[in-house]
């Protein structure tokens, strides 16, 4: 349920409504907009309905949240969320460039790439230490050693780190370096993982599952939000269709449609969708034009030598020119480039 307070409602009246909601075991999520405060009451609908909150001082109306996802819904927030963490702003009017290699390979590779991202004004540095690989015989990532190299790159460049967590058993070491925990497409519906990330309160980027609907993606976000973690970004990274000419099909329609459904920032990953370097530039421009809040892109100093995802990696020495073009497209779409605060 959604409790819309009157414009003149006092803080004491808002707090009294919050207390009543929580008295029946539901959770109250007040969000204070420019005009009014709206309180989301998440829990057993019958219990909340019995509270007769319409009659409460300061309450204007009580309406049901129609979608199965509540905290993620546009209906509850009614304005775009601008997330603020690690000295960056994500969402709202901001456009965020996240770049780095698919996986952490060597110290030289990680540091060289991180310097390039920093010099080109990138907002975050990405790199996987734990890699979800289709084959159990393929390189699985450097694990803790990879995290150590990411920490070194962060210390040198000041870039906040985006890195994937696949297993709750690795949460602690990942929390030591990750400014943003990436949930990979294959783990989008790993509910214990999402819940732990929610509890950790660390910002997260949730990638859309290969066959996930937008509603399923939003329900994944809800698992994190439900734990009180508000810093959730969604990522469209291509879905599986009948087409085999490219790796996945980048569903750019998801961007404007998600923006109708949710207040959360939407990031686009052109690299994994395309699987081919030559498509990454045009897809990034299209993503910016359609209103994406940012891009997460794979780059590598020597893509031909990359251990994983080389064919889709942009050459690191071409990143600055690429970023400038994409940021121009984002500016045309009304965004400001999210530079360090
Ligand atoms: C990645 O970002 O390197 C990755 C494995 O992405 P996805 O989970 O979208 O396949
Ligand atoms: Mn990859």
């Amino acid at each position: 349920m959604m409790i819309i307070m009157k414009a003149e409602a006092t803080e004491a009246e808002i707090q009294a409504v919050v207390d009543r909601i929580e008295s029946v075991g539901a959770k109250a999520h007040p969000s204070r907009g420019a005009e009014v405060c709206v309180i989301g009451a998440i829990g057993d609908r019958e219990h909340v309905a019995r509270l007769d909150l319409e009659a409460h001082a300061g309450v204007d109306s009580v309406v049901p949240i129609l979608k199965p996802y509540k905290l993620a819904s546009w209906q509850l927030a009614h304005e775009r969320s601008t997330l603020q963490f690690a000295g960056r702003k994500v969402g709202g009017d901001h456009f965020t460039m996240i770049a780095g290699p698919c996986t952490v390979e060597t110290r030289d590779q990680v540091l060289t790439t991180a310097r390039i991202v920093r010099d080109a004004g990138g907002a975050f540095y990405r790199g996987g230490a734990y890699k979800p690989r289709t084959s159990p015989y393929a390189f699985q990532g450097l694990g803790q050693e990879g995290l150590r190299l990411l920490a070194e790159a962060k210390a040198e460049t000041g870039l906040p780190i985006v890195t994937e967590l696949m297993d709750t058993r690795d949460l602690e070491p990942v929390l030591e370096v990750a400014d943003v925990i990436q949930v990979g497409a294959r783990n989008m519906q790993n509910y214990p993982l999402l819940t732990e990330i929610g509890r950790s309160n660390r910002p997260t980027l949730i990638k859309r599952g290969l066959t996930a609907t937008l509603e399923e993606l939003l329900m994944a976000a809800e698992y994190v939000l439900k734990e009180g973690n508000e810093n959730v970004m969604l990522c469209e990274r291509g879905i599986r269709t009948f087409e085999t000419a490219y790796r996945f099909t980048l569903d750019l329609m998801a961007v404007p449609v998600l923006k109708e459904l949710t207040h959360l920032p939407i990031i686009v990953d052109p690299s994994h969708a395309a699987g081919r370097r030559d498509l990454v530039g045009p897809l990034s421009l299209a993503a910016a034009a359609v209103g994406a809040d940012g891009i997460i892109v794979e780059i590598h100093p020597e893509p031909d030598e990359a251990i994983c995802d080389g064919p889709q990696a942009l050459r690191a020495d071409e990143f600055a020119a690429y970023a400038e073009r994409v940021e121009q497209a984002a500016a045309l779409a009304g965004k400001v480039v999210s530079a360090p605060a």
Side-chain angles (χ1 to χ4, degrees), residues 101-103 126 128 131-132 164 182-187 207-208 210 235 237 247-248 269 272 296 298 308-309 312:
C102 177
T103 186
R126 67 146 287 154
K131 295 303 301 176
E164 178 160 354
Q182 178 174 320
V183 176
R186 290 155 189 84
N187 262 321
K207 301 187 93 178
R208 182 180 181 183
L210 312 188
C235 179
R237 49 77 72 211
R247 196 173 178 192
F248 294 95
D269 175 348
H272 290 87
I296 181 165
E298 288 188 345
C308 109
D309 285 349
Q312 69 196 30

Side-chain angles (χ1 to χ4, degrees), residues 52-337:
D52 197 18
L53 289 168
E54 274 103 341
H56 209 282
V59 172
D60 182 71
S61 54
V62 178
V63 291
I65 302 173
L66 300 171
K67 303 288 187 189
Y69 45 89
K70 311 292 178 190
L71 301 170
S73 72
W74 175 260
Q75 194 193 353
L76 184 59
H78 264 283
E79 61 184 17
R80 308 226 159 278
S81 286
T82 303
L83 312 184
Q84 250 177 292
F85 56 88
R88 306 291 190 268
K89 288 184 180 164
V90 183
D93 295 336
H94 301 270
F95 187 82
T96 303
M97 181 61 78
I98 307 168
C102 177
T103 186
V104 175
E105 298 171 13
T106 64
R107 182 166 184 272
D108 190 40
Q109 171 239 18
V110 169
L111 294 181
T112 307
T113 321
R115 288 178 197 129
I116 287 171
V117 175
R118 175 201 57 198
D119 293 348
F124 291 85
Y125 186 58
R126 67 146 287 154
Y130 297 98
K131 295 303 301 176
R133 303 305 300 278
T134 304
S135 166
Y137 305 113
F139 175 70
Q140 304 287 310
L142 290 181
Q144 298 224 13
E145 170 60 9
L147 293 175
R148 206 190 56 69
L149 293 174
L150 288 171
E152 201 178 330
K154 176 167 154 178
E156 188 190 309
T157 62
L159 286 173
I161 302 291
V162 180
T163 196
E164 178 160 354
L165 175 70
M166 290 172 54
D167 187 326
T168 54
R169 288 172 295 185
D170 300 315
L171 180 64
E172 252 178 64
V174 166
L175 282 176
E176 277 175 28
V177 61
D179 295 279
V180 176
I181 300 178
Q182 178 174 320
V183 176
R186 290 155 189 84
N187 262 321
M188 188 204 85
Q189 289 178 310
N190 182 337
Y191 301 121
L193 184 69
L194 294 166
T195 299
E196 282 307 311
I197 293 171
R199 291 184 182 154
S200 78
N201 224 26
R202 192 61 49 90
T204 186
L205 175 84
I206 305 178
K207 301 187 93 178
R208 182 180 181 183
L210 312 188
T211 60
T213 63
L214 298 185
E215 185 165 299
E216 286 164 341
L217 174 60
L218 290 164
M219 293 305 273
E222 192 77 9
Y223 267 88
V224 176
L225 295 165
K226 176 177 171 290
E227 300 302 325
N229 185 347
E230 295 181 351
N231 289 323
V232 178
M233 295 160 266
L234 304 175
C235 179
E236 162 57 36
R237 49 77 72 211
I239 50 174
R240 181 154 282 162
T241 68
F242 53 82
E243 186 51 74
T244 56
Y246 24 81
R247 196 173 178 192
F248 294 95
T249 298
L250 185 61
D251 178 12
L252 283 180
M253 260 193 299
V255 178
V257 173
L258 279 170
K259 286 188 171 229
E260 285 174 5
L261 301 176
T262 184
H263 55 94
L264 299 170
I266 321 295
I267 307 295
V268 169
D269 175 348
S271 308
H272 290 87
R276 280 166 43 181
R277 179 175 315 126
D278 60 318
L279 298 179
V280 168
L283 290 177
S284 303
L285 296 177
V290 82
D293 297 301
I295 296 280
I296 181 165
V297 66
E298 288 188 345
I299 67 173
H300 195 285
E302 291 169 280
D304 294 342
E305 309 299 318
I307 295 180
C308 109
D309 285 349
Q312 69 196 30
L314 295 181
R315 286 175 224 291
D317 59 5
E318 293 173 359
F319 173 67
Y322 157 87
E324 198 181 322
R325 277 198 309 279
V326 177
E327 286 163 359
Q328 280 167 359
L332 279 178
K335 294 279 192 183
V336 289
V337 174

